[in-house]
Amino acid sequence: MSKVLQLQFQTSKGTDYSISIDAPKEGLSSKEVYDVMNTIIEKGVFEIKGERLAEIDSARYVERTVTELEA
């Protein structure tokens, strides 16, 4: 099973944008995650097609399980 932390934002023009982090550290609190997301916005770390990230939409863990089938 693989686990990804998805950070979802909106840009200054309302475009949805997400950042996926593979194998995130276990035990992160919501406050820690949202504090980092606020820092990303405040520091202008990312710009997408000339648009800066402007607001937080949500954050979530996504887990995926792959089961191989025999031929």
Side-chain angles (χ1 to χ4, degrees):
M1 181 168 8
S2 64
K3 190 177 206 177
V4 173
L5 175 59
Q6 278 187 348
L7 309 178
Q8 299 179 316
F9 299 89
Q10 285 201 346
T11 66
S12 55
K13 294 182 181 175
T15 305
D16 294 331
Y17 187 77
S18 68
I19 299 169
S20 295
I21 301 168
D22 293 333
K25 178 180 174 181
E26 290 292 327
L28 294 172
S29 69
S30 292
K31 182 181 180 337
E32 289 173 309
V33 172
Y34 281 90
D35 284 351
V36 168
M37 292 175 78
N38 278 315
T39 300
I40 289 169
I41 290 170
E42 290 169 9
K43 300 288 182 181
V45 177
F46 297 100
E47 190 173 285
I48 300 86
K49 297 180 183 177
E51 300 177 42
R52 295 183 78 176
L53 299 179
E55 66 181 74
I56 293 172
D57 183 9
S58 63
R60 63 184 176 189
Y61 286 106
V62 177
E63 296 182 61
R64 184 176 83 140
T65 302
V66 176
T67 305
E68 294 289 332
L69 299 176
E70 293 184 32

